[in-house]
Amino acid sequence: MSINTVACTVKPAVTLQLGDAKADTSRPGVYVIDVTLPIGQTVNIQDISFKNYYTAYLTVRLLRRSDEGAARWATCLTNHCLMPSPHTEEGAQDYCSIYRHQMLIKPDNVASVRLILRQPSSSWLSFSIEDIKIHPCLNKEPEIDIPGWLSDLTHVDQRPDIQGIPDPQMVSSSIQQMWALTEVMQTNQSTASIGRFDVDGCYDIDLLSFT
Amino acid sequence: MMDEETELSLTTAQIVQRLKGTNLHSQIERQAKECLHRPEIKLESLKEDVRNFLKDSGWERKLQNAVYRELHVQPPPGHPTAPPEHTKEPLAYMRKAQASWEKRILKSLNSMCTELGVPLARKRPAVEQKELTSKWNEMGTDEPDLSSFRPVYAPKDFLEVLISLRNPNHDSSEEASAKSHWGLIRVPLCVRDIAQMKEAYSELSLTSGQLGIDDLTHVPPDLFESEHVRIGKKVVIGQESAAAQQYSRQGCPTGLRADLWACILNSTNEPEDIMYYEQLKAGVIHHDLLVDKLIYKDVKLTASNDDYYFVFEDYLYQVLLCFSRDTAVLDHFTYNSATPPKSYIQGRVGVEEFAVVYPPNGVIPFHGFSMYVAPLCFLYNEPSKLYQVFREMYVRYFFRLHSISSSASGIVSLCLQFERLLQSQMPQLFYHLREIGAQPLRIAFKWMVRAFSGYLSTDQLLLLWDRILGYDSLEILAVLAAAVFAFRAENLMEVSSLATAEAVLADLSTLKVMPLIQIFLFATVI
């Protein structure tokens, strides 16, 4: 799971509404949220995660920059279902992620993300998505340069004076054994509880706490 | 919404983690080590041979059952960024409602303590401990004065809370709500309609045999019954939870029910389970809780007055008192919308090292709680086994009947489903009852909160609970409640007040549940 998130700006949602927005009393069924990266930056997206709030379907469009610098919009997800039955609560407040492999196009060199939210049901007073986060593809582990002095050490041929010092082979094998033991202990940590409810034998309670 | 592979590996990791500390894990490990001395285990095919040994000696099946239990009880791993409270209950307004309901209960408990001047918990003096130990098997003979204690709440109070439940984001303007729904529950949860129920409960259809139905189907009933018993015996010998669960959908024969239920619930009653039960008993003997008085009073008010259950009074005390001391029950709060009450010992308020859960299992009993245990007394006479089965039933099903959640088996969904089913199948009846001020849910709620325990005759109740276990869902309770109304529709159309409607539905002890459910789901012309 990617831990890093891309620094980006989530713009306020824009409604898509026919007619006069103020005079019209019906609620909008489509919202558009733009998420933009700082100017000049692009990202290769691994996933987009968010918390749903009564959005039924989600469409995602990406502004991708080609190598020449020209930017083009493309749809990478069409009407992805977040609420299987839009009139009822199921999925209404769930946490979701859209992963790279679910997208129709490769989400690379993305400069801006446009989220188009739809809610066909008129049951809900409002809908949106919250906590939008874009996680970048993690580059392959950069090769860690081994410092020169370390490689020097391994090349030392002449044996220093080791009188009175135990055999390094022995030491290393016994240390390895100890290390293995601690590993075993760690992995064997169980979740089983011992079933005590008192604290040091005491369970005298007068009132319950509210917080 | 994760991809399948990630989800599968997360689930696997979660189950492995949970099973690691169990007795089963160490037992299997020991068996695997010991089998190395056997001649059939070869070094060159070590892994395969050990695996085969565990399979043949039945340990694999035990592991399968344990995994099956985890898959059924634990919620599937949620989204990695979702906080724990989201696993308890995904809808924020439901969590809020549950929290404020809990606060009310705590206040009521606290004020009872202050009024009566009794502590919530104290250590019993040695003399008292001795006395309790000696009369452990006859606690019912004690008649302490409990007139000043009152149940913390009754189902009626809880119903009022559910009726007032609203989604703040839901458009509840007059026209929108009045046009579609006549019932009391106003939250837009997704519940199954008749067509969906028919599909989900296909084993209950008119053409398949059922225990609990005596009339003629195309298969003669005694032929079906003897065949069903024969298969049942095989299932008991096989000891596979999944098979037993599937079998239970058509009903368990009386003689096999205890074993089948224990198998479904993976309650094995090993020596260490008996020891654990003794440990809980010691907890009861050492500490005196206010909750004990509530349990005592509840048993006296409900089961002791019941024609079927009064004989089990002593069993009920034992099981319920041990239950209240069982910290293993706390595990279920990861997927229950409720949160256990907290307190601090020695007045060290706010210091985490002195924080304790009260009661130790985190569950405050309400009026009628003991009825969840009572029917099980017919099946198990060994207290530790009875206890194990009850605890498993509670952490799988019964907790859902008194916490506010959006789960399909939760009480809110059951209420809504009951109202929807009745309104769609019996609109005239629903309209009539509503007009005379007898909202059907006001009558049916108490049945559902207790899973019909204490309302049906015991044989019928056990046939009903067979299906709860078989389908791993409480939805059938809503169906039965609606079916009872449908069955009494003619009489109910004549009544003119809530009281007379209640009178018509006062006695359910003569009803046969399976025919009612079957007719309601499969034989009603829409």
Side-chain angles (χ1 to χ4, degrees):
Chain A
M1 210 46 56
S2 34
I3 308 144
N4 315 12
T5 54
V6 179
C8 52
T9 325
V10 179
K11 296 197 173 157
V14 177
T15 58
L16 198 71
Q17 200 160 22
L18 291 177
D20 183 12
K22 283 202 181 109
D24 201 351
T25 51
S26 66
R27 287 190 291 272
V30 181
Y31 280 103
V32 179
I33 298 176
D34 273 351
V35 182
T36 53
L37 267 71
I39 294 170
Q41 276 188 32
T42 61
V43 62
N44 299 344
I45 297 175
Q46 174 60 36
D47 69 76
I48 304 171
S49 75
F50 55 89
K51 181 177 187 288
N52 187 23
Y53 188 77
Y54 295 93
T55 300
Y57 302 102
L58 175 69
T59 297
V60 180
R61 286 174 55 84
L62 303 176
L63 183 65
R64 290 188 301 174
R65 223 172 273 288
S66 62
D67 295 334
E68 301 87 57
R72 288 190 67 171
W73 282 103
T75 305
C76 87
L77 193 72
T78 313
N79 284 334
H80 178 71
C81 178
L82 300 174
M83 289 169 69
S85 147
H87 288 306
T88 62
E89 303 267 12
E90 200 184 341
Q93 300 187 21
D94 280 357
Y95 289 78
C96 311
S97 285
I98 308 295
Y99 293 97
R100 191 181 175 87
H101 67 259
Q102 288 174 292
M103 301 185 188
L104 302 170
I105 51 165
K106 275 224 163 78
D108 292 335
N109 300 319
V110 175
S112 182
V113 178
R114 175 163 293 172
L115 303 160
I116 301 162
L117 325 179
R118 286 173 219 273
Q119 178 48 274
S121 168
S122 60
S123 299
W124 315 108
L125 297 175
S126 72
F127 63 94
S128 66
I129 61 177
E130 300 160 353
D131 298 338
I132 303 165
K133 290 192 180 97
I134 297 175
H135 298 116
C137 280
L138 288 183
N139 296 329
K140 277 185 195 134
E141 286 290 307
E143 302 264 328
I144 299 164
D145 285 325
I146 297 166
W149 56 267
L150 201 64
S151 49
D152 278 348
L153 270 184
T154 51
H155 287 297
V156 175
D157 268 339
Q158 82 271 29
R159 295 188 142 216
D161 182 25
I162 49 165
Q163 285 264 317
I165 296 173
D167 179 18
Q169 290 282 330
M170 291 269 291
V171 173
S172 93
S173 82
S174 62
I175 284 178
Q176 265 177 27
Q177 212 169 2
M178 273 167 67
W179 171 81
L181 272 174
T182 57
E183 280 298 291
V184 168
M185 289 304 291
Q186 257 174 13
T187 52
N188 274 358
Q189 258 174 14
S190 73
T191 51
S193 80
I194 48 167
R196 300 274 307 245
F197 54 83
D198 51 344
V199 176
D200 300 333
C202 177
Y203 194 70
D204 291 350
I205 303 169
D206 289 324
L207 287 175
L208 294 170
S209 155
F210 281 97
T211 44
Chain B
M1 305 243 175
M2 268 173 288
D3 62 306
E4 265 171 51
E5 241 172 81
T6 333
E7 200 177 324
L8 188 68
S9 56
L10 268 174
T11 310
T12 316
Q14 187 182 317
I15 292 176
V16 168
Q17 177 63 25
R18 287 193 53 87
L19 292 182
K20 224 167 204 172
T22 59
N23 212 351
L24 181 71
H25 178 253
S26 52
Q27 274 174 316
I28 292 182
E29 207 173 56
R30 197 178 324 132
Q31 290 294 325
K33 262 181 208 156
E34 275 169 19
C35 80
L36 295 179
H37 305 298
R38 293 171 160 270
E40 69 263 28
I41 309 287
K42 305 269 187 307
L43 193 60
E44 51 270 23
S45 53
L46 187 68
K47 212 168 170 180
E48 272 308 297
D49 287 351
V50 171
R51 212 173 260 172
N52 283 335
F53 168 78
L54 290 176
K55 194 174 184 169
D56 297 337
S57 53
W59 287 99
E60 191 189 63
R61 202 195 51 236
K62 283 187 186 175
L63 181 62
Q64 264 170 8
N65 286 347
V67 171
Y68 192 71
R69 183 210 178 257
E70 293 301 320
L71 282 175
H72 271 77
V73 178
Q74 291 295 325
H79 191 269
T81 57
E85 73 254 26
H86 193 266
T87 320
K88 287 166 83 73
E89 167 53 47
L91 302 178
Y93 74 93
M94 289 264 183
R95 287 200 298 268
K96 221 169 129 189
Q98 173 65 28
S100 71
W101 168 240
E102 280 166 18
K103 210 164 178 176
R104 255 179 75 182
I105 298 173
L106 295 193
K107 269 190 187 157
S108 152
L109 258 182
N110 272 350
S111 64
M112 193 176 353
C113 283
T114 334
E115 272 169 41
L116 303 175
V118 288
L120 282 169
R122 66 177 178 101
K123 196 160 186 127
R124 279 183 219 276
V127 190
E128 210 183 302
Q129 289 192 17
K130 225 174 184 175
E131 202 188 323
L132 184 60
T133 317
S134 67
K135 64 166 193 208
W136 179 257
N137 287 318
E138 45 193 54
M139 282 187 271
T141 55
D142 221 14
E143 296 276 350
D145 177 29
L146 294 174
S147 53
S148 48
F149 290 91
R150 51 176 197 273
V152 183
Y153 67 95
K156 229 193 255 169
D157 311 314
F158 189 47
L159 176 60
E160 293 308 320
V161 176
L162 299 189
I163 292 173
S164 63
L165 207 55
R166 293 284 182 282
N167 176 344
N169 192 35
H170 193 238
D171 187 355
S172 49
S173 55
E174 275 311 306
E175 36 185 329
S177 56
K179 69 180 174 218
S180 55
H181 190 59
W182 298 339
L184 295 169
I185 301 293
R186 287 296 159 83
V187 286
L189 293 176
C190 187
V191 292
R192 289 198 246 206
D193 59 17
I194 286 267
Q196 290 164 322
M197 287 300 280
K198 270 185 189 171
E199 210 182 308
Y201 288 74
S202 59
E203 288 90 346
L204 301 186
S205 74
L206 298 172
T207 48
S208 56
Q210 291 296 324
L211 285 192
I213 292 181
D214 307 322
D215 59 357
L216 287 161
T217 51
H218 71 286
V219 188
D222 39 340
L223 199 72
F224 162 74
E225 224 170 287
S226 55
E227 175 67 6
H228 195 60
V229 170
R230 195 182 63 79
I231 299 172
K233 284 180 182 154
K234 267 183 147 170
V235 173
V236 169
I237 293 167
Q239 281 296 313
E240 274 182 39
S241 302
Q245 184 164 42
Q246 179 64 33
Y247 178 84
S248 183
R249 293 183 172 193
Q250 284 173 286
C252 298
T254 313
L256 302 175
R257 185 174 280 123
D259 288 335
L260 286 166
W261 283 19
C263 180
I264 297 172
L265 298 167
N266 200 26
S267 301
T268 43
N269 205 32
E270 306 279 331
E272 59 273 10
D273 298 317
I274 300 169
M275 238 162 67
Y276 187 75
Y277 181 75
E278 290 300 318
Q279 190 186 333
L280 296 175
K281 194 171 144 184
V284 178
I285 287 169
H286 292 154
H287 297 276
D288 182 24
L289 309 186
L290 174 75
V291 172
D292 299 356
K293 311 267 191 321
L294 300 176
I295 291 171
Y296 212 87
K297 179 130 189 176
D298 186 49
V299 173
K300 289 274 181 216
L301 284 176
T302 57
S304 303
N305 282 331
D306 191 294
D307 290 349
Y308 297 109
Y309 303 123
F310 72 97
V311 285
F312 301 122
E313 194 181 340
D314 293 322
Y315 273 163
L316 293 177
Y317 294 130
Q318 291 172 21
V319 166
L320 287 166
L321 292 180
C322 286
F323 182 64
S324 70
R325 278 23 173 221
D326 192 348
T327 52
V329 178
L330 294 175
D331 266 3
H332 92 287
F333 286 106
T334 50
Y335 53 91
N336 177 355
S337 62
T339 307
K342 206 167 138 184
S343 185
Y344 295 90
I345 53 161
Q346 298 165 355
R348 308 285 286 264
V349 178
V351 188
E352 277 312 303
E353 294 91 86
F354 294 90
V356 288
V357 172
Y358 183 88
N361 71 346
V363 181
I364 294 176
F366 60 93
H367 182 58
F369 194 85
S370 42
M371 296 310 278
Y372 293 143
V373 191
L376 300 174
C377 297
F378 275 99
L379 301 182
Y380 306 96
N381 51 23
E382 200 182 329
S384 70
K385 179 106 186 178
L386 168 64
Y387 177 73
Q388 246 199 322
V389 169
F390 163 65
R391 185 181 70 186
E392 197 61 26
M393 291 279 278
Y394 184 82
V395 301
R396 286 191 192 210
Y397 308 111
F398 297 145
F399 78 89
R400 296 202 187 276
L401 296 174
H402 45 263
S403 31
I404 304 170
S405 82
S406 60
S407 153
S409 275
I411 188 69
V412 188
S413 296
L414 296 184
C415 289
L416 187 65
Q417 190 168 19
F418 160 73
E419 293 190 329
R420 290 268 172 85
L421 287 174
L422 194 63
Q423 188 183 333
S424 65
Q425 298 301 100
M426 300 261 140
Q428 272 180 313
L429 174 64
F430 202 120
Y431 192 79
H432 170 70
L433 291 173
R434 186 175 178 253
E435 286 302 291
I436 61 163
Q439 271 284 355
L441 186 60
R442 294 215 180 265
I443 300 168
F445 186 72
K446 54 183 182 291
W447 305 336
M448 293 194 286
V449 167
R450 286 193 194 173
F452 281 93
S453 175
Y455 294 103
L456 299 170
S457 64
T458 40
D459 60 325
Q460 295 301 309
L461 183 82
L462 295 173
L463 285 168
L464 177 68
W465 285 15
D466 280 344
R467 274 69 183 190
I468 292 180
L469 288 167
Y471 289 96
D472 196 32
S473 161
L474 294 164
E475 278 173 308
I476 199 84
L477 298 177
V479 178
L480 178 60
V484 170
F485 272 78
F487 183 62
R488 295 260 194 256
E490 234 169 279
N491 305 62
L492 287 171
M493 287 302 283
E494 309 276 314
V495 302
S496 53
S497 71
L498 176 63
T500 41
E502 270 175 338
V504 167
L505 295 166
D507 182 15
L508 308 186
S509 63
T510 54
L511 298 181
K512 299 265 179 262
V513 294
M514 289 323 295
L516 283 188
I517 290 173
Q518 209 175 39
I519 291 169
F520 189 81
L521 278 185
F522 294 95
T524 313
V525 185
I526 306 168

